[in-house]
Amino acid sequence: MDFIRFADLCAQGQAKGKRVFIRADLNVPLAFEGGVARITEDTRIRASIPAIRMALDAGAAVMVTSHLGRPTEGQPKPEDTLAPVAARLSELLQQPVPLIQRWVDGGFSVAPGQVVLLENCRLNPGEKKNNPELARKMAALCDIFVHDAFGTAHRAEASTYGIAEHAPVACAGPLLAAEIDAIGRALEQPARPLVAIVAGSKVSTKLTILQSLAQKVDRLIVGGGIANTFMLAAGLPIGKSLAEPDLVGEAKAVMEAMRARGAEVPIPTDVVVAPEFKPDAPATVKAAADVGPDDMILDIGPQTAQALAAMLETAGTIVWNGPVGVFEFAAFENGTKTLAQAIARSKAFSIAGGGDTLAAIAKYGIEDQVGYISTGGGAFLEVLEGKTLPAFEILARRARG
């Protein structure tokens, strides 16, 4: 995909003295103690620093905004303010970062080498619906618009899409550019074999992803409740396991589509079962064909885990979304742990995304062995569905002139 990179503009001196508007993702979790907000996890703030520092080092006057929480437009409440974020940015950048209220109509000043934080953009009436007038006002504030919030790339809002339509220049910041590059490498021009892991509780929530990947991947590994539905489709018993029997037809269609291409959906040959969903429930390994009516499948078995690990170790590209078992419970984590370690050992380019996936990566300490970790959540899932994200579309269109 062709798009303008902010890093290139800075390297060419095109940001010097310019007003740069960065749409970041600073939506961090807050805890309130005695009415005072405290940031409990600042990964997103720290991830935003490279784009801001890049702009400052290039001699730009820098404006940054983000959404925070789910505010009601035009009705600010104390918990909606970005004030704690401004304080943290000041610490990380080691310079003052004033918070600007009611900024849409201008009326504030920022000089080259300075940075200001513009209050929660979702407080602005018309933000969510991409109001054209609001978007034009935002665009009038800057010479260069930088989209650096992949987590919002699937939303066409005034601060993510409308401003990109009207700003003199619209480009991708380093975070967004890295996401675009990684996704393109994994899905558009992958090294083969391309292996995808799609796991979760329900086929229905990821059916379009499964259908899209069935046209692209060489092996589609399913896990969790999704795997149980595929086991039903393969004629295997699943006892009282979580599944969606009404989607067995769709699961069969995915398997048939894969087979028609000479690809496969590997079905578990053994599983780990328990009588109930509890961390201390007794775990039993059974052949997939031997699952009893009172059994609940909570993980893939060791034989299946080793077979899937072998596939991952010989893959050219790996896309990972979801743990394959209840990895939060020690007795049912072996499948996810085995696959995570195989991904870490593999020479394949790997891209992983989704909250539970990131939690598994952190639990097993393989952050440095995964090729790219996407923090986009819903945006990552929409890419896997085969959708063109609004942010990608508008940046590509602006790059074409």
Side-chain angles (χ1 to χ4, degrees):
M1 178 187 297
D2 291 327
F3 58 96
I4 300 170
R5 297 171 186 264
F6 184 51
D8 291 341
L9 296 181
C10 292
Q12 295 161 8
Q14 295 187 43
K16 185 175 178 62
K18 298 295 179 64
R19 300 169 302 157
V20 171
F21 187 119
I22 300 173
R23 175 54 162 99
D25 183 0
L26 306 172
N27 185 29
V28 292
L30 301 174
F32 292 86
E33 299 167 357
V36 178
R38 176 178 58 84
I39 297 168
T40 59
E41 209 285 321
D42 70 348
T43 297
R44 286 176 174 167
I45 299 176
R46 287 184 283 107
S48 74
I49 294 299
I52 299 170
R53 176 56 62 196
M54 186 181 292
L56 291 172
D57 290 347
V62 187
M63 297 162 275
V64 184
T65 196
S66 172
H67 67 289
L68 179 70
R70 299 178 182 274
T72 301
E73 292 183 358
Q75 300 178 34
K77 297 186 289 296
E79 62 266 28
D80 299 329
T81 183
L82 285 171
V85 176
R88 184 62 179 135
L89 281 173
S90 297
E91 294 172 353
L92 292 169
L93 292 168
Q94 297 186 315
Q95 69 180 79
V97 181
L99 178 67
I100 309 297
Q101 307 283 350
R102 293 176 291 280
W103 50 269
V104 171
D105 292 312
F108 62 91
S109 61
V110 53
Q114 294 181 335
V115 55
V116 297
L117 183 62
L118 309 179
E119 185 59 284
N120 194 334
C121 57
R122 285 194 184 157
L123 288 171
N124 299 320
E127 164 68 13
K128 295 279 287 182
K129 293 187 176 180
N130 190 22
N131 178 272
E133 181 181 358
L134 174 62
R136 288 190 182 93
K137 286 184 176 182
M138 289 182 180
L141 297 173
C142 67
D143 302 303
I144 300 172
F145 168 66
V146 181
H147 196 322
D148 204 38
F150 178 67
T152 69
H154 59 314
R155 304 185 187 280
E157 299 177 349
S159 69
T160 62
Y161 190 94
I163 186 174
E165 287 186 292
H166 301 293
V169 176
C171 62
L175 272 180
L176 187 64
E179 293 274 359
I180 295 173
D181 290 344
I183 288 165
R185 183 175 174 184
L187 296 177
E188 294 173 15
Q189 296 177 316
R192 300 281 179 174
L194 169 56
V195 180
I197 304 169
V198 178
S201 59
K202 295 182 178 181
V203 169
S204 56
T205 60
K206 294 186 178 179
L207 179 59
T208 51
I209 296 171
L210 294 165
Q211 291 169 334
S212 176
L213 291 176
Q215 306 301 319
K216 301 171 183 170
V217 305
D218 301 300
R219 293 189 176 94
L220 179 56
I221 296 171
V222 291
I226 292 174
N228 297 336
T229 301
F230 274 79
M231 288 176 68
L232 276 180
L236 292 167
I238 64 165
K240 59 181 182 180
S241 307
L242 176 66
E244 293 177 291
D246 56 326
L247 290 179
V248 163
E250 282 79 358
K252 286 181 177 178
V254 168
M255 290 192 288
E256 289 166 4
M258 292 284 288
R259 267 196 300 270
R261 296 175 43 244
E264 67 171 318
V265 181
I267 301 299
T269 55
D270 63 338
V271 292
V272 183
V273 302
E276 55 187 335
F277 186 88
K278 290 174 62 177
D280 57 351
T284 305
V285 177
K286 288 190 175 184
D290 295 337
V291 174
D294 294 325
D295 288 332
M296 183 178 290
I297 300 170
L298 299 181
D299 194 12
I300 56 175
Q303 181 184 77
T304 299
Q306 289 302 322
L308 297 180
M311 292 180 187
L312 294 168
E313 289 181 34
T314 57
T317 306
I318 300 167
V319 177
W320 181 18
N321 176 241
V324 295
V326 187
F327 77 103
E328 300 90 344
F329 299 167
F332 309 104
E333 71 167 335
N334 182 68
T336 300
K337 183 177 182 179
T338 299
L339 267 58
Q341 292 173 340
I343 292 169
R345 289 193 301 270
S346 178
K347 294 181 180 179
F349 171 72
S350 53
I351 179 171
D356 288 341
T357 312
L358 302 191
I361 289 170
K363 181 174 183 178
Y364 303 121
I366 63 167
E367 294 95 334
D368 294 341
Q369 284 80 48
V370 177
Y372 190 82
I373 298 174
S374 173
T375 57
F380 181 71
L381 294 180
E382 290 200 13
V383 169
L384 295 189
E385 286 183 51
K387 294 181 178 179
T388 299
L389 303 187
F392 292 12
E393 177 266 316
I394 186 59
L395 291 178
R397 178 150 56 90
R398 288 303 310 273
R400 293 193 299 269

